[in-house]
Amino acid sequence: MLNKLKAFCMVAALVFAFILSGQTSASAATDKGIQIRNNVTINIDGETIQINDPILSKADHLLLPMRALYEAIGASVDWSKENNTATAYRNGKVINLTIDSMTALVDGQEVEMDVAPLIYKDRTYMPLRFVSENFDGNVAWDPDTQTVTILLDDSSEKPQEDPYILHVNNKRIVMDDPIVTKQSRSYIPADYLSDYLADSAGNWLPDKSFELQIAGMSLVFKDGSNNVLINNESVTIEEQPFIQKGKMYVPITFVVNTLGGNLRYISEKREMYIYVYRYMYTSDFLEKSFGTTSYPQPVPSARLEGDRDLMVSDNPENLTHSLLPKSNATLAQYQVKSTSATNKHRIFGWHLNKLGTEVKIGITIENTSSSESIKVSSSKGITQMSGNNWIGHDIGLSIADATLNGKLKRSDSTGIVIAPGETKVIETLELFPDYVVGFLHDIDIQAVNGGSTDYMIRTVLTKSNSDLTKIKTDAVAIDEYAKHPRGAWPSATILAELPEYTVDTQEVGYNLSNGRTDHLLTTENSLSQINGALGNPGHFGMNYKVSIPLVNDSGKTKTIKVKLTGRGGLYSGAVKFNGKVYLVPALRTSSEYVEFEYKMKGSSDKIELELIHAGGVNLPVAIYVETK
């Protein structure tokens, strides 16, 4: 019993001594000019942290409880009671801090401090700025709001965030910098425009302003200034450009509107789409008008014309694992057997990647002849991709514009020879998850020795980066629940001559796609039936050539107005009139239209139009004619 009493007294004495030493330490700390600063907000990487114990200030430096501080910045810590030293570890760095010592060890090197760690009411406190900065953080103090903001380099601690993606006229750029949003306005570094737009440059000026030169236009931005110089004329804007990490961030909506174009930012996907029309399109847009139009009549006659056939790869449009369970697949195919000297083909494709991974799509040709080599005498086309829902604008319009203007790009496959039994790739493209691709490719094939040709054209896909030339399976089954076309037809051009229009009679309208002309591209008359075909009533990938005969009994000069409007959904496309191509903006059915005028001289004349639509509608276009 006596021994237990002695032991109890010894423990009590130690506890009392410990409490007394703690009180003495706290008292000494108070005597050294410590203040409690619980009105201070601590923000680390965008998150406000909660501190249960008091926040202290000494010599204008904030100190936080050791455990709370190291936990907030993601550091682990060991405490040496014998030495009163905390050893903290983070991202491979080691910091040793000792109570009441103005010297720290950072990765073994002595570093002098402005304020020493201390003990306050039995709690160990560490200097906030010193710890954060020596663990590679940036610390900022806002005296107005009494807020400390700390940004940490957590690349080795946290999962890497998805990068920002910028599309400049359909060129996909993985950004090294963030897109910044301030007060609902988006900003990007100006050098992404100067680097990725043709005939553009960016320069820092002596007064630290930044000049962006694009296609002969000069825009000068200054840090924090609402005044922008456009071709040396001052313009006041609502946004304020700013410098961040040595780059001038410019208000992108203002820039795009100034240059003439369109912009869309999908913040949840971190993707921005910029379209500057002078670079993206060759042609100008027709002005949209508003008003109703009468119900159009059927076109009395329409026929396929020309020797370039059409293969359509648009089913399955949504590429999913259920429709494409294997790593490799053929999407569409067309067997060609011919005795012609030259065979001309158009391959039109439209697919949406819902496979959750990047895939590769290609156009291949397998020479199935046993004796005759074939040569790709001409290969040219256009491929456009998009991750947003403006597919008619950034894919369809670009394809229509390039096709009517004769601007299809020459492919590297031009001139290749394919020996009997050999397969070669004509075109390859990478398709990102949730992206849509549209492509139109014109290929001319010749027999090398003048004999009969026998070959298979395919559009193929690989999820595993396989050799595209090895994919020779039959086309996957048709997606019956999504009626998109697949097949091959004898021509890529439809010729339609409208009934004669007499000047000064009432307006007449004709529907270029209807029950009387849709027999041209049906499921039944597809030249390719392997594993299924679906008709092409919307005439995707087709060129229209339309002639409108005019009669003018008066012989006086008259102005004829021609209107175009959609008949089966939101319509857009391109039209060639009097040798010049114009773009048709998105038109709502029967309530919006575009128009142009034609000066008629003499008693008879003819208006010639060529059209191609931008996809996304079931019925291409209706044409109305009237006298102004």
Side-chain angles (χ1 to χ4, degrees), residues 2 16 28 35 81 179 277 307 316 382 448 457 495 514 554:
L2 181 61
F16 179 79
Q35 296 178 330
K81 183 178 178 181
I179 297 171
Y277 293 154
D307 56 359
I382 178 173
V448 172
I457 305 174
L495 179 66
N514 52 64
S554 71

Side-chain angles (χ1 to χ4, degrees), residues 15-156:
V15 170
F16 179 79
F18 179 79
I19 294 172
L20 182 61
S21 67
Q23 290 176 340
T24 303
S25 176
S27 175
T30 304
D31 292 341
K32 294 177 182 178
I34 291 177
Q35 296 178 330
I36 296 176
R37 297 288 301 276
N38 287 335
N39 62 331
V40 171
T41 301
I42 310 295
N43 188 291
I44 299 179
D45 286 341
E47 181 178 349
T48 299
I49 64 170
Q50 301 298 321
I51 307 294
N52 295 326
D53 295 299
I55 297 173
L56 304 182
S57 173
K58 181 180 179 182
D60 292 328
H61 286 269
L62 295 177
L63 296 100
L64 266 60
M66 177 180 71
R67 297 288 178 182
L69 172 59
Y70 287 139
E71 182 177 301
I73 65 173
S76 59
V77 61
D78 293 328
W79 172 252
S80 172
K81 183 178 178 181
E82 293 76 17
N83 301 320
N84 276 347
T85 298
T87 303
Y89 310 87
R90 183 180 182 276
N91 288 4
K93 297 192 75 171
V94 182
I95 299 177
N96 292 290
L97 298 178
T98 302
I99 299 301
D100 294 329
S101 173
M102 299 287 285
T103 302
L105 287 179
V106 179
D107 289 337
Q109 301 295 316
E110 291 189 354
V111 179
E112 293 302 314
M113 307 168 65
D114 294 321
V115 63
L118 54 86
I119 293 177
Y120 177 77
K121 292 186 177 180
D122 300 332
R123 291 286 187 268
T124 302
Y125 278 74
M126 296 295 175
L128 174 63
R129 180 180 289 274
F130 182 89
V131 170
S132 301
E133 290 184 340
N134 281 278
F135 276 134
D136 300 322
N138 289 315
V139 182
W141 167 250
D142 186 340
D144 295 330
T145 61
Q146 298 288 291
T147 299
V148 179
T149 300
I150 301 171
L151 298 177
L152 296 168
D153 176 14
D154 278 346
S155 57
S156 63

Side-chain angles (χ1 to χ4, degrees), residues 340-356:
S340 299
T342 301
N343 299 299
K344 298 180 180 180
H345 310 286
R346 170 169 292 176
I347 297 93
F348 178 84
W350 197 280
H351 298 286
L352 169 60
N353 181 3
K354 302 298 289 184
L355 294 165

Side-chain angles (χ1 to χ4, degrees), residues 55 81 134 204 238 364 379 467 573 590:
I55 297 173
K81 183 178 178 181
N134 281 278
W204 287 100
E238 295 182 6
T364 65
S379 178
D467 183 351
S590 302

